[in-house]
Amino acid sequence: MLREADRRLVEIVPTERQLKHQQMEFYGFIHFSVNTFTDREWGDGTESPEVFAPQSLDARQWARAARDGQMKGLILTCKHHDGFCLWPSRFTEHSVAASPYRNGKGDIVKELSDACREEGLAFGIYLSPWDRHSPLYGSGKKYDDYFVNQLEELLTGYGEIFAVWFDGACGEGSDGKRQVYDWKRYYEVVRRLQPGACISVCGPDVRWCGNEAGDTRASEWSVVPARTADTEKIADKSQQADETAFRERRIQAQDMDLGSREILKSEKDLIWYPAEVNTSIRPGWFYHASEDNQVKPLAELIHIYEHSVGGNATFLLNIPPDRKGMVHEQDVRRLHELGEYIRNTYDRNLAKEAEITCDSALEGYGPENLTEDSCEACLRTWEGVTACDIVLEWKKAVKVRRVVLKENLRYSQRIESFEIQTWRNGTFHTIYRGTTVGYKHIAAVDEPETTRLRVRILDARVSLALAFIGIY
């Protein structure tokens, strides 16, 4: 029997910008500023632009390294908390225009945005609302005017922007006052000038996963209480300090379940608010030579990738350029290894070579749609049918290491539980149990050989809308 409460949950669907953003799956952060040259994580705004002097900066090298790692975009810290601008802003002298870089004629935002487009990557911006250099910080509207002016420069001078990344850092200004950010005004500017851009973290489109260690939830829901987007609470939990302990913090127990039936049953206002998992390839966000031997191992990056992209979230991995203005060779090598793993693992979909059947499907929405990786086709069941069995059968035995499931998010997120079974000795045996699917779920199964797999959808909120099955 269809539960009316569940029908309400699946009425919440992503906007087209949110759907397009999630389809990017994996993209990079570039943290680069005066901090790179002062060997700090957070600058205090007193740094002289003279310290910013990369001798061999090559934005194309950054973009090539990202593309080789299978990233689909890069987000640049155009201005971090120190207030130093990587573009020649008309509204401050604290920028590359006052630095030795290219004799004051440089514009790193332009260099990277151009490089991204040449390499087929999307380009995004990070602009810290906290400016520790500006004397206007803490003044209210005067500071907001200043911040919006710089935001407009970035949104109008560098082509299409796929993401605008705001964090919640907020400290005292020079006079001891804190700025109360006019988030509504900032969002309006982004929507007006870059309507296709998602506003992330302290924004309405993409949710911070809750830590900077790459930790993920076993069950990640995209339909969550509207209060989850409270920017003041996000600010309170994020960017508290640049301490190693915070960067390594895991998701806390009380934050593990954000969207189950039990959690949502008493919530009046719900929103589509998908998660982003962000971490750095090194311990710090900015480059430090002392961390050259602390680049994350390939196995750890694979784990984060498969539990974020493969756990109904996106993956934002930071790759900080060094003082020369290059992504360090250790980082480049690790990105290449990660890219090779992704390419080799997910290149050949064995599901296309199998006969696929389903015990319950609407006419025109059958299992033949499951090998097309898009939101334009899917397998759907009859109204009220919230479980089904999908069987894949091969003429010759195949080895299976990964099973990928995807829902058609235009119909919301529906699956509550599933299991994967393999055929052994004349019967099916369960080799994997999972809960949510959402945009994508990657199941590690490492099955030596089989001629049949069965994907059993055990429970869904309403009838199914499964978009894709990948067997690798």
Side-chain angles (χ1 to χ4, degrees):
M1 181 177 178
L2 182 63
R3 293 167 287 230
E4 289 304 315
D6 284 351
R7 186 192 296 276
R8 169 177 168 260
L9 300 183
V10 300
E11 290 174 351
I12 311 299
V13 297
T15 63
E16 284 302 311
R17 78 169 66 88
Q18 287 174 313
L19 183 58
K20 183 179 178 181
H21 186 95
Q22 189 133 27
Q23 289 169 334
M24 291 190 66
E25 299 189 349
F26 179 33
Y27 42 93
F29 234 160
I30 298 285
H31 274 66
F32 192 58
S33 184
V34 290
N35 296 342
T36 308
F37 300 88
T38 60
D39 206 29
R40 300 179 67 183
E41 282 290 293
W42 283 14
D44 59 18
T46 63
E47 297 84 3
S48 168
E50 291 291 326
V51 305
F52 188 81
Q55 299 299 312
S56 308
L57 192 148
D58 185 355
R60 284 167 182 79
Q61 187 249 3
W62 307 355
R64 286 193 298 270
R67 187 191 63 184
D68 191 36
Q70 293 291 286
M71 292 178 177
K72 295 180 181 176
L74 284 174
I75 299 173
L76 176 66
T77 56
C78 302
K79 183 182 76 171
H80 204 252
H81 313 325
D82 49 73
F84 182 78
C85 299
L86 296 184
W87 79 102
S89 175
R90 300 190 307 275
F91 301 98
T92 182
E93 295 180 355
H94 198 53
S95 78
V96 286
S99 79
Y101 180 63
R102 298 197 188 281
N103 297 316
K105 302 297 183 183
D107 185 341
I108 295 169
V109 180
K110 185 177 190 309
E111 289 185 45
L112 185 55
S113 61
D114 289 347
C116 282
R117 291 178 181 100
E118 288 178 15
E119 296 296 330
L121 301 175
F123 177 68
I125 63 168
Y126 165 109
L127 187 66
S128 173
W130 187 20
D131 189 324
R132 304 182 77 177
H133 177 81
S134 174
L136 295 174
Y137 190 85
S139 65
K141 186 177 182 302
K142 287 183 179 180
Y143 177 76
D144 278 326
D145 290 343
Y146 167 75
F147 181 79
V148 165
N149 284 334
Q150 290 192 326
L151 182 59
E152 288 181 341
E153 285 183 319
L154 293 171
L155 296 176
T156 57
Y158 301 97
E160 184 177 354
I161 304 296
F162 88 93
V164 178
W165 214 97
F166 292 136
D167 68 32
C170 181
E172 294 181 353
S174 57
D175 59 358
K177 294 182 179 179
R178 284 178 177 263
Q179 181 73 19
V180 177
Y181 302 135
D182 191 347
W183 294 111
K184 184 178 180 181
R185 182 181 177 191
Y186 306 163
Y187 300 161
E188 184 279 325
V189 171
V190 177
R191 291 286 189 253
R192 174 166 48 85
L193 298 177
Q194 292 282 347
C198 274
I199 308 172
S200 301
V201 182
C202 278
D205 296 318
V206 179
R207 163 170 55 87
W208 181 52
C209 73
N211 73 106
E212 296 182 353
D215 199 22
T216 55
R217 296 177 180 86
S219 302
E220 189 69 78
W221 289 101
S222 294
V223 177
V224 296
R227 56 183 171 77
T228 310
D230 185 330
T231 53
E232 297 308 316
K233 291 180 180 177
I234 296 169
D236 182 57
K237 291 183 179 180
S238 68
Q239 298 290 335
Q240 295 175 22
D242 55 333
E243 298 174 354
T244 300
F246 176 71
R247 293 199 299 270
E248 295 177 351
R249 189 186 71 181
R250 302 290 170 175
I251 295 173
Q252 297 173 358
Q254 67 268 26
D255 297 326
M256 286 301 291
D257 182 1
L258 299 181
S260 68
R261 286 170 171 142
E262 183 66 23
I263 289 292
L264 298 183
K265 68 180 182 181
S266 60
E267 294 287 340
K268 293 183 179 180
D269 297 318
L270 303 175
I271 56 173
W272 187 273
Y273 202 26
E276 175 185 85
V277 174
N278 63 314
T279 193
S280 183
I281 200 167
R282 294 160 167 258
W285 289 94
F286 287 91
Y287 174 82
H288 308 286
S290 61
E291 296 177 353
D292 284 349
N293 63 348
Q294 298 180 59
V295 176
K296 281 184 169 61
L298 176 61
E300 183 176 354
L301 291 177
I302 290 171
H303 177 85
I304 297 171
Y305 174 86
E306 293 190 333
H307 286 77
S308 56
V309 174
N312 192 40
T314 52
F315 181 20
L316 174 59
L317 178 65
N318 180 60
I319 46 173
D322 61 21
R323 292 183 182 183
K324 293 181 295 184
M326 302 281 283
V327 177
H328 192 272
E329 60 184 15
Q330 295 275 62
D331 307 54
V332 171
R333 184 179 303 114
R334 193 55 37 81
L335 284 172
H336 174 75
E337 292 169 352
L338 178 60
E340 280 289 284
Y341 172 84
I342 295 170
R343 284 185 287 271
N344 292 338
T345 302
Y346 300 101
D347 177 55
R348 178 187 172 194
N349 183 5
L350 296 173
K352 293 183 176 182
E353 303 167 22
E355 179 185 351
I356 309 177
T357 57
C358 177
D359 63 357
S360 178
L362 283 170
E363 185 176 353
Y365 293 92
E368 67 275 5
N369 292 328
L370 290 174
T371 57
E372 180 183 341
D373 191 0
S374 76
C375 284
E376 306 310 315
C378 62
L379 181 149
R380 298 192 64 191
T381 58
W382 294 98
E383 184 77 9
V385 176
T386 59
C388 74
D389 285 355
I390 302 161
V391 177
L392 299 96
E393 186 167 1
W394 293 268
K395 292 180 180 179
K396 295 182 180 180
V398 295
K399 294 180 180 179
V400 180
R401 297 185 63 242
R402 297 291 184 269
V403 176
V404 174
L405 304 178
K406 299 178 73 171
E407 293 185 77
N408 189 329
L409 295 188
R410 289 200 171 101
Y411 296 96
S412 193
Q413 185 179 0
R414 301 183 171 205
I415 294 174
E416 293 260 351
S417 64
F418 67 94
E419 62 184 21
I420 299 168
Q421 299 178 325
T422 189
W423 184 258
R424 293 181 195 152
N425 301 320
T427 188
F428 281 111
H429 298 266
T430 299
I431 56 173
Y432 187 91
R433 289 183 173 88
T435 54
T436 56
V437 173
Y439 170 73
K440 178 183 281 191
H441 187 99
I442 298 177
V445 294
D446 291 324
E447 179 65 11
E449 278 196 338
T450 188
T451 57
R452 292 187 214 174
L453 278 181
R454 182 163 68 179
V455 177
R456 308 198 74 193
I457 308 301
L458 303 176
D459 188 23
R461 290 180 167 177
V462 295
S463 58
L464 300 177
L466 193 64
F468 177 75
I469 290 182
I471 310 295
Y472 303 96

